[in-house]
Amino acid sequence: MPYYLIQTAYTSESWDKMVKNPQDRIEAVRPAIEDLGGRIDAGYISFGEYDLAAIVEFPDNVSAAA
């Protein structure tokens, strides 16, 4: 399966909610990715334009775009 890079940027409101209710965001999205036939290879918190980067495998571009 091909690998895809997913990058996410959070809003200020999202950060406020995550600070008040911390949890593993990778585990929160795992069911949705697996339902599309994907698999999370790795997830990283990052600095700069994006706050989270994940390496994910999907069967095809259509599944990855969903």
Side-chain angles (χ1 to χ4, degrees):
M1 281 195 295
Y3 286 93
Y4 296 87
L5 171 65
I6 297 174
Q7 296 174 299
T8 304
Y10 295 125
T11 63
S12 298
E13 295 83 15
S14 294
W15 275 115
D16 288 340
K17 290 179 184 177
M18 288 188 286
V19 167
K20 292 175 184 169
N21 184 23
Q23 53 186 278
D24 186 345
R25 301 297 175 192
I26 296 296
E27 291 306 316
V29 299
R30 187 178 302 279
I33 289 172
E34 290 178 350
D35 285 348
L36 293 167
R39 182 183 74 82
I40 298 172
D41 189 56
Y44 306 96
I45 300 220
S46 58
F47 295 107
E49 187 176 349
Y50 298 100
D51 301 309
L52 178 76
I55 307 298
V56 182
E57 284 184 283
F58 279 108
D60 51 43
N61 290 342
V62 174
S63 299

